[in-house]
Amino acid sequence: MLNFIFFGPPGAGKGTQAKLISKEFDLIHLSTGEILRSAIEKQTPLGQQAKSYVDKGELVPDDIIIGLIRNRLQSYDNPKGFIFDGFPRTIKQAEAFDQMLAELGSEITAVIRIKVTDDEILKRLLNRAKIEGRTDDTPEVIQHRLEVYRKNTEPLIDFYKKQNKLYEVDGLGTIEEVNERIKQIIKRFL
Ligand code: AMP
Protein backbone atom coordinates (compact mmCIF):
# COMPACT_ATOMS: atom_id res chain seq x y z
CA MET A 1 0.00 0.00 0.00
CA LEU A 2 1.35 3.40 -0.99
CA ASN A 3 0.94 6.16 1.56
CA PHE A 4 1.84 9.64 0.37
CA ILE A 5 1.46 12.65 2.63
CA PHE A 6 1.08 16.04 0.96
CA PHE A 7 2.50 18.49 3.41
CA GLY A 8 2.56 22.27 3.60
CA PRO A 9 0.86 25.36 5.01
CA PRO A 10 -2.71 26.30 4.14
CA GLY A 11 -2.67 27.61 0.59
CA ALA A 12 0.34 25.58 -0.53
CA GLY A 13 -1.78 23.74 -3.10
CA LYS A 14 -2.02 20.39 -1.29
CA GLY A 15 -5.69 19.89 -2.13
CA THR A 16 -5.36 20.94 -5.77
CA GLN A 17 -2.37 18.69 -6.34
CA ALA A 18 -3.78 15.78 -4.34
CA LYS A 19 -6.90 15.81 -6.53
CA LEU A 20 -4.83 15.70 -9.73
CA ILE A 21 -2.28 13.13 -8.58
CA SER A 22 -4.89 10.82 -7.04
CA LYS A 23 -6.66 10.65 -10.41
CA GLU A 24 -3.46 10.22 -12.39
CA PHE A 25 -2.13 7.37 -10.24
CA ASP A 26 -5.40 5.82 -9.07
CA LEU A 27 -4.82 6.63 -5.41
CA ILE A 28 -7.46 7.49 -2.81
CA HIS A 29 -7.44 11.15 -1.82
CA LEU A 30 -8.15 11.66 1.89
CA SER A 31 -8.49 15.30 2.92
CA THR A 32 -9.31 15.69 6.60
CA GLY A 33 -10.39 19.30 5.95
CA GLU A 34 -12.87 18.19 3.27
CA ILE A 35 -14.18 15.33 5.40
CA LEU A 36 -14.74 17.78 8.27
CA ARG A 37 -16.41 20.43 6.09
CA SER A 38 -18.77 17.84 4.67
CA ALA A 39 -19.59 16.51 8.16
CA ILE A 40 -20.26 20.06 9.35
CA GLU A 41 -22.55 20.75 6.43
CA LYS A 42 -24.50 17.53 7.05
CA GLN A 43 -24.52 18.22 10.79
CA THR A 44 -23.34 14.73 11.66
CA PRO A 45 -22.00 14.04 15.18
CA LEU A 46 -18.44 14.48 13.82
CA GLY A 47 -19.48 17.79 12.26
CA GLN A 48 -21.03 18.99 15.49
CA GLN A 49 -17.86 18.14 17.38
CA ALA A 50 -15.58 19.79 14.83
CA LYS A 51 -17.45 22.94 13.84
CA SER A 52 -16.28 25.37 16.51
CA TYR A 53 -12.62 24.44 15.95
CA VAL A 54 -12.76 24.66 12.17
CA ASP A 55 -14.59 28.00 12.22
CA LYS A 56 -11.94 29.50 14.49
CA GLY A 57 -9.00 28.03 12.58
CA GLU A 58 -8.07 25.83 15.55
CA LEU A 59 -7.02 22.24 15.17
CA VAL A 60 -9.71 19.66 15.85
CA PRO A 61 -8.55 17.50 18.81
CA ASP A 62 -6.09 14.76 17.88
CA ASP A 63 -8.26 11.89 19.14
CA ILE A 64 -11.12 12.86 16.84
CA ILE A 65 -8.83 13.15 13.82
CA ILE A 66 -6.95 9.93 14.56
CA GLY A 67 -10.26 8.05 14.93
CA LEU A 68 -11.50 9.50 11.66
CA ILE A 69 -8.39 8.38 9.75
CA ARG A 70 -8.46 4.93 11.36
CA ASN A 71 -12.06 4.49 10.20
CA ARG A 72 -11.28 5.57 6.67
CA LEU A 73 -8.23 3.33 6.39
CA GLN A 74 -10.34 0.34 7.34
CA SER A 75 -13.14 1.15 4.94
CA TYR A 76 -11.36 0.20 1.70
CA ASP A 77 -10.80 -3.29 0.43
CA ASN A 78 -7.20 -3.81 -0.69
CA PRO A 79 -6.49 -0.22 -1.79
CA LYS A 80 -3.52 0.57 -4.03
CA GLY A 81 -2.72 3.56 -1.92
CA PHE A 82 -3.66 6.93 -0.44
CA ILE A 83 -2.78 10.57 -0.58
CA PHE A 84 -3.23 12.17 2.81
CA ASP A 85 -3.91 15.89 2.48
CA GLY A 86 -4.00 17.94 5.67
CA PHE A 87 -3.08 15.00 7.88
CA PRO A 88 -1.08 14.57 10.07
CA ARG A 89 -0.90 18.07 11.52
CA THR A 90 0.64 17.39 14.94
CA ILE A 91 3.41 15.16 16.27
CA LYS A 92 0.79 13.19 18.18
CA GLN A 93 -1.13 12.52 14.97
CA ALA A 94 2.09 11.55 13.18
CA GLU A 95 3.06 9.08 15.89
CA ALA A 96 -0.41 7.55 15.98
CA PHE A 97 -0.34 7.33 12.19
CA ASP A 98 2.97 5.44 12.12
CA GLN A 99 1.54 2.98 14.61
CA MET A 100 -1.73 2.60 12.72
CA LEU A 101 0.08 1.86 9.46
CA ALA A 102 2.45 -0.57 11.18
CA GLU A 103 -0.58 -2.47 12.49
CA LEU A 104 -1.73 -2.77 8.88
CA GLY A 105 1.71 -4.00 7.85
CA SER A 106 2.36 -0.76 6.00
CA GLU A 107 4.27 2.50 6.39
CA ILE A 108 4.50 6.03 5.03
CA THR A 109 5.94 5.94 1.53
CA ALA A 110 6.93 9.59 1.22
CA VAL A 111 6.06 13.00 2.61
CA ILE A 112 5.92 15.55 -0.17
CA ARG A 113 6.44 19.02 1.18
CA ILE A 114 5.11 21.74 -1.10
CA LYS A 115 7.09 24.90 -0.40
CA VAL A 116 5.66 28.37 -0.96
CA THR A 117 6.58 31.82 0.32
CA ASP A 118 4.49 33.60 2.98
CA ASP A 119 3.47 36.34 0.53
CA GLU A 120 2.18 33.77 -1.94
CA ILE A 121 0.22 31.90 0.76
CA LEU A 122 -1.62 35.05 1.84
CA LYS A 123 -2.34 36.01 -1.74
CA ARG A 124 -3.72 32.56 -2.58
CA LEU A 125 -5.83 32.25 0.57
CA LEU A 126 -7.38 35.69 0.21
CA ASN A 127 -8.13 34.91 -3.41
CA ARG A 128 -9.65 31.52 -2.52
CA ALA A 129 -11.80 33.26 0.11
CA LYS A 130 -13.43 35.30 -2.65
CA ILE A 131 -14.12 32.22 -4.76
CA GLU A 132 -15.08 29.50 -2.27
CA GLY A 133 -16.43 31.53 0.65
CA ARG A 134 -15.09 29.09 3.25
CA THR A 135 -16.00 30.18 6.77
CA ASP A 136 -12.37 29.81 7.83
CA ASP A 137 -10.92 31.97 5.06
CA THR A 138 -11.52 35.40 6.62
CA PRO A 139 -8.31 37.47 7.04
CA GLU A 140 -8.28 36.98 10.85
CA VAL A 141 -8.86 33.24 10.71
CA ILE A 142 -6.31 32.85 7.90
CA GLN A 143 -3.74 34.58 10.08
CA HIS A 144 -4.57 32.27 12.95
CA ARG A 145 -4.40 29.14 10.79
CA LEU A 146 -0.93 30.15 9.67
CA GLU A 147 0.15 30.60 13.30
CA VAL A 148 -1.27 27.19 14.17
CA TYR A 149 0.60 25.70 11.23
CA ARG A 150 3.91 27.20 12.37
CA LYS A 151 3.47 26.13 15.97
CA ASN A 152 1.92 22.66 15.65
CA THR A 153 2.52 21.38 12.16
CA GLU A 154 5.91 22.70 11.07
CA PRO A 155 7.73 20.52 13.65
CA LEU A 156 6.68 17.54 11.52
CA ILE A 157 9.26 18.57 8.93
CA ASP A 158 12.06 17.49 11.27
CA PHE A 159 10.09 14.45 12.39
CA TYR A 160 9.93 13.14 8.81
CA LYS A 161 13.43 14.32 7.90
CA LYS A 162 14.75 12.09 10.66
CA GLN A 163 12.80 9.19 9.17
CA ASN A 164 14.28 9.97 5.72
CA LYS A 165 10.77 10.34 4.36
CA LEU A 166 10.79 14.00 3.38
CA TYR A 167 10.82 15.19 -0.26
CA GLU A 168 10.56 18.88 -1.09
CA VAL A 169 9.08 20.51 -4.17
CA ASP A 170 8.86 24.13 -5.17
CA GLY A 171 5.18 25.06 -4.95
CA LEU A 172 5.52 28.26 -6.98
CA GLY A 173 4.54 28.32 -10.63
CA THR A 174 1.51 27.03 -12.50
CA ILE A 175 -0.60 24.11 -11.29
CA GLU A 176 0.82 22.06 -14.18
CA GLU A 177 4.42 22.90 -13.30
CA VAL A 178 3.98 21.91 -9.67
CA ASN A 179 2.08 18.79 -10.75
CA GLU A 180 5.00 17.73 -12.95
CA ARG A 181 7.47 18.15 -10.07
CA ILE A 182 5.31 16.03 -7.76
CA LYS A 183 4.83 13.33 -10.39
CA GLN A 184 8.58 12.90 -10.68
CA ILE A 185 8.71 12.02 -6.99
CA ILE A 186 5.64 9.75 -7.01
CA LYS A 187 7.01 7.77 -9.95
CA ARG A 188 10.06 6.72 -7.96
CA PHE A 189 7.81 4.62 -5.74
CA LEU A 190 5.71 2.88 -8.36
P1 AMP B 1 -7.80 22.27 5.58
O1 AMP B 1 -8.89 22.17 4.59
O2 AMP B 1 -6.81 21.14 5.50
O3 AMP B 1 -7.12 23.62 5.57
O4 AMP B 1 -8.47 22.12 7.03
C1 AMP B 1 -9.47 23.02 7.46
C2 AMP B 1 -9.63 22.93 8.98
O5 AMP B 1 -10.02 21.60 9.36
C3 AMP B 1 -8.38 23.20 9.80
O6 AMP B 1 -8.16 24.60 10.01
C4 AMP B 1 -8.71 22.47 11.11
O7 AMP B 1 -9.64 23.19 11.86
C5 AMP B 1 -9.41 21.22 10.59
N1 AMP B 1 -8.45 20.12 10.31
C6 AMP B 1 -8.18 19.57 9.10
N2 AMP B 1 -7.28 18.59 9.21
C7 AMP B 1 -6.94 18.52 10.52
C8 AMP B 1 -6.03 17.72 11.27
N3 AMP B 1 -5.27 16.80 10.68
N4 AMP B 1 -5.95 17.95 12.60
C9 AMP B 1 -6.73 18.87 13.20
N5 AMP B 1 -7.58 19.67 12.56
C10 AMP B 1 -7.70 19.50 11.22
Side-chain angles (χ1 to χ4, degrees), residues 1-5 84 87-88 93-95 97-99 101-102 106-112 159-160 163-167 189:
M1 194 164 82
L2 295 162
N3 298 297
F4 294 104
I5 295 173
F84 298 91
F87 172 86
Q93 290 178 19
E95 286 172 347
F97 193 33
D98 279 346
Q99 201 184 330
L101 290 174
S106 189
E107 61 174 352
I108 290 166
T109 308
V111 178
I112 299 178
F159 181 89
Y160 287 121
Q163 293 191 7
N164 281 325
K165 295 271 161 85
L166 194 74
Y167 296 78
F189 299 96

Side-chain angles (χ1 to χ4, degrees), residues 10 14 31-34 36-37 50 53-55 57-62 65 85-90 93 128 134 136 145:
K14 300 185 296 290
S31 156
T32 40
E34 275 180 17
L36 294 171
R37 279 188 289 282
Y53 299 99
V54 174
D55 283 350
E58 298 284 350
L59 292 180
V60 174
D62 287 329
I65 298 289
D85 153 17
F87 172 86
R89 258 177 157 96
T90 64
Q93 290 178 19
R128 180 170 82 188
R134 272 172 56 164
D136 60 349
R145 287 167 61 215

